[in-house]
Amino acid sequence: MSGSRAVLTASAGRRLAAGILLLLLAALAWRSIFDFDFGTHVATGRWVVAHGAVPETDPFTYTVSHRPFLAYAWLFDVGVFELYRSLGAHGLTAVRWLLLMATGLLLVDVLRIRHCTALTASALGLATLFMCEVRFAIRPELVSDLLSATTLWVLERRRQGRKAPLWLLPVAQLIWINTHLYVFGWAILAIYTLDEVVRRRSLRTPLAAAAAVCVAVLFVNPYGYRAILEPFLLAVRMGGGNVYGQWIRELKSPLGFSADARLSLYLHAIWILLAVGAASFAIHVWRRRWVDAALVLVFGGLALLSIRNVVLFGVTTLPSLCVAVDDAVGALRGRFPGDRAFKRAGQIVLAGVLAVAAITTLRVVTGSYYDSGSRPTRFASEIDRVSFGLDAADWLADHDLKGNGFNSFNLGGTLLWRDPAHKVFIDSRGDVGGEELMRLYLAASHPDFWDRAQRRFGFEYAIFGHRDDGLPLVRKLWADPAWKPVYLDGTALVFVRRDGPNGQLSPVVLPDPVDDATRARSLEAIHVDPGPWARLARWLGPGAAPVNHNGLVGSFLLRMNYPARAETLLLRAALEAPNTVVVQRNLSVVYYHAGRWKEALVTLRNLNALAPDDSVAAFLDEVSRKAAGTAAAPEGPL
């Protein structure tokens, strides 16, 4: 093969690989809106627009309303509020899609400039997508990711001797200081500027001049020097030794996570890329590529400190990782005389990587990609009402409850968004309350300290997100004659004080247990095909459905030790959507504890068809023998 033809073939391979991975990115970027911080961003943007200024103290909580509040993401918040007000969920989804696609296109061009091979760029690019997509939320991080890619693109073009629009650097910093934490861009800029100054042995370089302008534009923000200092204060407030850093998952190191079903692919991708990063750092140091080594060291270190930094790690270091792996593969290739066989093996691996990317794209569009991890995300431009708890927040707003309320941490932003007339106990802004508010919340959430907190703050009502937290306190209030539940849905539960100003509200009415005939008819109608073709269809297509309202409330009642009433709703949920893993599992638990072995056998078979694993298979075998009357009851819960 001639040299020119080889170049054309390599170029075509890179274009094909880039196209398939960008298609996967496009599918992953188009998703439903679900992030607990979203409501806080809408509420902050609404406040800024209404007042024509940025807040100086906390306008949203009654607990720490005296605390200074620096809304460093104020411009992002205003943008989110205006987009949502004018274009709704469709507009927000479209803008997020554009931001993520622009980030991806810039990275593809950097990979092209660095002459990364199609195989390496595809393999590491796919791992990066798996690592990053979990955080494709409506957050200021979206802007930081794009600005990081923009900064990297400008600086890498300059380092490779290409035309580079340096004027984009101060523009990026101007946007950054008003939308998120600008220091990430400064880390990239400092590495490249120092490299250029050392190579040219002079401070008088165009890049150093651009960096000076970048410093000046940081003061163009409504908070002045305080906004410049804010990232350093946040680093202290939410570090690993802080109560926020210990309690909030995204502030923890990825090394401290176990790979549960929902995060298995995500965490494995992080661990793989961090391992590749460690090896690539050594390679870059050996090759004296100091810029690449510094990028991997700085952003790899940030990713190790906190899982919220993994996207920045992926954006800033992907080209550096690819270059290092290409070096390693090139060295390995030189040890094998059979160049044709080595090349053939590389083509097979590349085809496999691109096939995985193409199949994943199909699974994202059909929804099975998210279903396999029991995630609420969907390929759609909509607000996830259930996960946000919008129905509960709207109910509170409609009933205009009196007095101070207690709320779950994750529901604080939703309440600010949907019920602006009431201040909340806490929301997700750790930069406002800091340790003081978080410690108050954790103490009030504990059943042993609830009464003390109630006397201090005068709680007249309480709203809990019962799917994730607060169950011990919910059980306490459920049994406390001074409180009564007045609202219950698939996400949240509201209590009011019986003798308080909201005591006239009617209590929640639980469903009646089912009779034997209804149970038998329902289980006969609930069937999951266990065949291999049916499993393949569920894996590729819209198979396992998300848990619906009846399933969510039924699961809550089961955790509250109301199995008979939980069964009523779980059967309804299974009739509506038999391919729901959680519903089949919880029905199995209901029948196991009731000693109904034949019914448990039906639901366990369905569960084994949907989510086969060793534990389910073992339990199915035990229950099968018990149903036949030949073995003792299995020990322990399912």
Side-chain angles (χ1 to χ4, degrees):
M1 179 181 292
S2 67
S4 61
R5 187 178 174 190
V7 171
L8 288 173
T9 302
S11 177
R14 282 195 293 265
R15 287 197 297 269
L16 175 64
I20 292 176
L21 288 180
L22 285 172
L23 187 63
L24 175 56
L25 172 60
L28 289 167
W30 191 266
R31 59 175 57 188
S32 53
I33 298 173
F34 163 54
D35 183 77
F36 292 123
D37 286 347
F38 176 75
T40 304
H41 293 305
V42 174
T44 304
R46 181 175 58 208
W47 194 97
V48 173
V49 170
H51 292 80
V54 293
E56 295 288 344
T57 56
D58 178 23
F60 298 131
T61 68
Y62 65 81
T63 41
V64 290
S65 58
H66 61 286
R67 289 289 296 270
F69 174 36
L70 194 150
Y72 58 85
W74 71 272
L75 187 58
F76 176 84
D77 298 338
V78 169
V80 168
F81 169 68
E82 292 291 3
L83 276 170
Y84 182 69
R85 180 168 65 170
S86 58
L87 300 176
H90 301 303
L92 281 169
T93 304
V95 170
R96 172 178 55 190
W97 187 88
L98 290 171
L99 290 172
L100 288 169
M101 290 305 296
T103 303
L105 287 168
L106 287 169
L107 279 180
V108 166
D109 197 50
V110 175
L111 292 171
R112 179 187 64 84
I113 293 169
R114 298 295 302 270
H115 304 292
C116 299
T117 63
L119 174 58
T120 303
S122 299
L124 295 182
L126 182 61
T128 300
L129 280 176
F130 287 146
M131 177 180 72
C132 296
E133 62 87 6
V134 176
R135 299 193 64 83
F136 285 177
I138 306 291
R139 285 186 168 200
E141 294 173 22
L142 288 174
V143 180
S144 273
D145 298 337
L146 175 57
L147 296 178
S148 295
T150 302
T151 302
L152 186 70
W153 178 77
V154 171
L155 295 173
E156 197 55 54
R157 286 185 67 88
R158 177 171 179 79
R159 192 163 71 110
Q160 299 298 328
R162 297 169 181 259
K163 186 177 180 180
L166 292 181
W167 59 268
L168 277 177
L169 298 177
V171 171
Q173 286 296 313
L174 180 61
I175 298 172
W176 228 323
I177 190 66
N178 291 287
T179 54
H180 200 210
L181 304 176
Y182 71 94
V183 291
F184 301 120
W186 265 102
I188 303 171
L189 184 58
I191 290 169
Y192 279 85
T193 303
L194 181 60
D195 175 70
E196 182 168 296
V197 167
V198 171
R199 282 190 292 106
R200 298 193 179 188
R201 297 181 181 180
S202 173
L203 291 173
R204 292 186 169 185
T205 71
L207 186 53
V213 177
C214 288
V215 173
V217 300
L218 290 180
F219 289 89
V220 185
N221 74 83
Y223 291 104
Y225 74 91
R226 289 182 295 160
I228 299 174
L229 296 177
E230 185 68 7
F232 304 100
L233 298 176
L234 288 177
V236 174
R237 288 178 188 165
M238 292 188 286
N242 185 280
V243 66
Y244 270 94
Q246 296 169 356
W247 193 76
I248 299 177
R249 295 186 75 189
E250 70 176 42
L251 297 179
K252 297 180 179 179
S253 169
L255 300 182
F257 281 77
S258 58
D260 59 37
R262 290 186 302 170
L263 297 176
S264 177
L265 182 61
Y266 166 60
L267 288 173
H268 280 99
I270 295 175
W271 296 334
I272 289 171
L273 287 171
L274 285 173
V276 173
S280 68
F281 173 76
I283 292 172
H284 288 311
V285 170
W286 177 261
R287 297 283 184 138
R288 297 189 177 184
R289 286 194 291 255
W290 306 116
V291 168
D292 291 305
L295 287 172
V296 172
L297 179 65
V298 171
F299 288 94
L302 288 173
L304 280 171
L305 288 174
S306 173
I307 205 166
R308 74 187 304 175
N309 297 326
V310 297
V311 179
L312 279 169
F313 167 62
V315 169
T316 55
T317 67
L318 177 59
S320 300
L321 300 187
C322 290
V323 169
V325 172
D326 280 339
D327 278 354
V329 172
L332 183 64
R333 183 174 184 176
R335 294 176 175 270
F336 290 88
D339 181 75
R340 182 176 299 178
F342 197 94
K343 184 176 182 180
R344 183 64 174 169
Q347 291 172 340
I348 293 173
V349 174
L350 175 60
V353 170
L354 296 183
V356 170
I359 293 171
T360 303
T361 302
L362 173 63
R363 297 189 69 225
V364 169
V365 173
T366 62
S368 59
Y369 175 80
Y370 302 117
D371 293 336
S372 62
S374 301
R375 293 163 57 188
T377 312
R378 287 289 169 266
F379 181 75
S381 57
E382 62 185 17
I383 300 287
D384 186 349
R385 292 189 62 88
V386 174
S387 297
F388 271 120
L390 296 192
D391 291 338
D394 291 345
W395 184 91
L396 280 177
D398 292 341
H399 287 76
D400 190 25
L401 299 191
K402 303 299 186 292
N404 288 338
F406 177 82
N407 62 275
S408 292
F409 180 83
N410 286 340
L411 288 178
T414 299
L415 295 174
L416 294 179
W417 167 24
R418 309 295 285 199
D419 187 18
H422 295 85
K423 291 190 174 185
V424 298
F425 182 88
I426 191 172
D427 65 87
S428 58
R429 298 166 302 148
D431 51 331
V432 179
E435 288 189 353
E436 175 188 356
L437 182 55
M438 196 66 199
R439 292 191 189 282
L440 283 174
Y441 171 74
L442 293 176
S445 301
H446 197 286
D448 293 343
F449 300 103
W450 167 260
D451 293 334
R452 185 186 308 172
Q454 196 279 329
R455 289 191 297 270
R456 175 178 176 181
F457 295 104
F459 300 140
E460 294 294 343
Y461 63 93
I463 177 170
F464 299 92
H466 60 69
R467 294 172 60 188
D468 299 311
D469 56 10
L471 198 60
L473 182 55
V474 167
R475 287 180 174 142
K476 171 184 171 65
L477 295 186
W478 194 283
D480 191 337
W483 292 84
K484 64 177 176 178
V486 294
Y487 178 87
L488 173 64
D489 67 17
T491 304
L493 173 69
V494 179
F495 290 94
V496 299
R497 207 165 57 82
R498 290 182 183 272
D499 295 336
N502 309 300
Q504 77 283 358
L505 293 171
S506 302
V508 168
V509 178
L510 299 181
D512 294 326
V514 299
D515 55 48
D516 291 341
T518 301
R519 178 184 300 111
R521 285 196 306 270
S522 299
L523 289 176
E524 185 177 358
I526 300 168
H527 176 69
V528 178
D529 189 343
W533 291 110
R535 289 186 178 182
L536 179 62
R538 286 192 294 268
W539 187 78
L540 286 175
V547 189
N548 57 28
H549 171 82
N550 286 324
L552 291 170
V553 177
S555 298
F556 165 71
L557 294 178
L558 180 60
R559 296 198 303 274
M560 290 293 292
N561 200 26
Y562 289 98
R565 299 179 188 274
E567 180 196 11
T568 302
L569 296 179
L570 291 171
L571 282 174
R572 292 178 192 172
L575 286 168
E576 295 163 354
N579 292 344
T580 307
V581 174
V582 173
V583 171
Q584 296 288 358
R585 179 180 291 115
N586 285 342
L587 276 173
S588 301
V589 172
V590 169
Y591 295 134
Y592 164 74
H593 285 293
R596 295 183 175 273
W597 305 114
K598 292 183 179 180
E599 289 86 349
L601 186 59
V602 172
T603 54
L604 275 169
R605 284 173 175 166
N606 290 334
L607 178 62
N608 193 53
L610 290 172
D613 62 37
D614 292 342
S615 62
V616 173
F619 210 85
L620 178 59
D621 182 62
E622 292 287 342
V623 172
S624 297
R625 282 182 281 164
K626 183 61 181 177
T630 60
E635 298 181 0
L638 179 65

